[in-house]
Amino acid sequence: MVTKAIIAILIGYAFGIIQPAYILSKMVGKMDIREHGSGNAGASNITAIMGWKYGFIVGLVDILKGIFAVLVVKWIYPDNPDLAYLSGIMAIIGHIFPFYMKFRGGKGVATLVGMMFGLNWKLGILFALLVALPALLADYIVIGSLTSFIALPIVTFILGYPIVFIIIGVCLTILCFYLHRANIQRIIKKEELKISAVIKKK
């Protein structure tokens, strides 16, 4: 079982460290996206800096890597759904902490949505809505990010996954708030870039 878990961890992390925002910013923008905007290597920041076309590509790839991390492990170990879940979690962690970027990646929201699509398409839709609706209502993408990660340990508990996954979910929720601390401070100061402003700008 330990060997299987290690394989699931490695597969998930390998998918997670694929960083389209970083790659596109280097190849197309001739820059490191982490040195601009919010400093985040993710879809929202690259949208603000490079436009919706690149933001869409990044968001799609970040979702797909969460999906494939789960589906590959499902295919290898069809009788152990816990391993597929573990792989999805590791894809999120890989996205946030890619080793070749000195562990400074994105914030894991799109990959979380992808993980849920890999587990069950209904869960994927639920988490996509948990990101989109609060973000649109508040006009801040960060709000959707927070609500989706708040839901992670709750959904994990409801679905009956082992307690260790619930604990990991709580830790990721806390990490999400920590990673978004600057965004939260800018919202309080009314300095955070609004979704509507990005749409008008681009």
Side-chain angles (χ1 to χ4, degrees):
M1 181 61 186
V2 175
T3 301
K4 292 180 179 179
I6 292 173
I7 292 172
I9 287 170
L10 292 175
I11 290 172
Y13 188 78
F15 275 106
I17 62 174
I18 299 168
Q19 291 285 345
Y22 178 77
I23 295 168
L24 281 174
S25 70
K26 284 287 190 178
M27 292 179 62
V28 179
K30 307 301 180 183
M31 63 175 177
D32 185 340
I33 190 65
R34 298 172 300 169
E35 297 174 358
H36 300 269
S38 66
N40 176 48
S44 58
N45 194 33
I46 205 166
T47 298
I49 302 301
M50 295 178 62
W52 280 102
K53 178 175 68 175
Y54 296 106
F56 175 80
I57 294 170
V58 169
L60 180 61
V61 174
D62 284 344
I63 290 172
L64 286 174
K65 68 189 188 186
I67 293 174
F68 282 111
V70 172
L71 292 183
V72 168
V73 174
K74 268 188 177 182
W75 176 69
I76 297 173
Y77 304 117
D79 298 325
N80 197 329
D82 289 352
L83 292 176
Y85 186 99
L86 177 61
S87 182
I89 288 292
M90 285 307 302
I92 297 171
I93 293 173
H95 177 81
I96 298 171
F97 300 115
F99 71 92
Y100 64 93
M101 292 166 58
K102 297 182 179 179
F103 302 99
R104 285 182 55 221
K107 295 176 180 175
V109 180
T111 307
L112 169 60
V113 173
M115 167 192 170
M116 290 301 166
F117 268 112
L119 293 173
N120 184 299
W121 67 269
K122 293 179 182 178
L123 284 175
I125 291 175
L126 171 64
F127 273 77
L129 291 174
L130 283 171
V131 174
L133 293 181
L136 291 172
L137 289 172
D139 205 15
Y140 294 114
I141 187 64
V142 61
I143 301 301
S145 302
L146 297 175
T147 55
S148 61
F149 269 97
I150 289 171
L152 175 59
I154 298 171
V155 170
T156 303
F157 171 76
I158 292 172
L159 293 176
Y161 283 102
I163 185 68
V164 64
F165 289 159
I166 299 171
I167 294 171
I168 292 172
V170 171
C171 291
L172 284 175
T173 302
I174 295 170
L175 178 61
C176 178
F177 273 82
Y178 176 76
L179 293 173
H180 286 89
R181 65 194 184 283
N183 303 84
I184 295 169
Q185 291 170 356
R186 286 195 294 269
I187 289 175
I188 293 172
K189 296 177 181 178
K190 297 183 179 179
E191 297 173 353
E192 177 76 347
L193 187 64
K194 293 186 176 183
I195 297 173
S196 57
V198 175
I199 293 173
K200 290 175 182 177
K201 181 181 177 181
K202 301 299 179 181

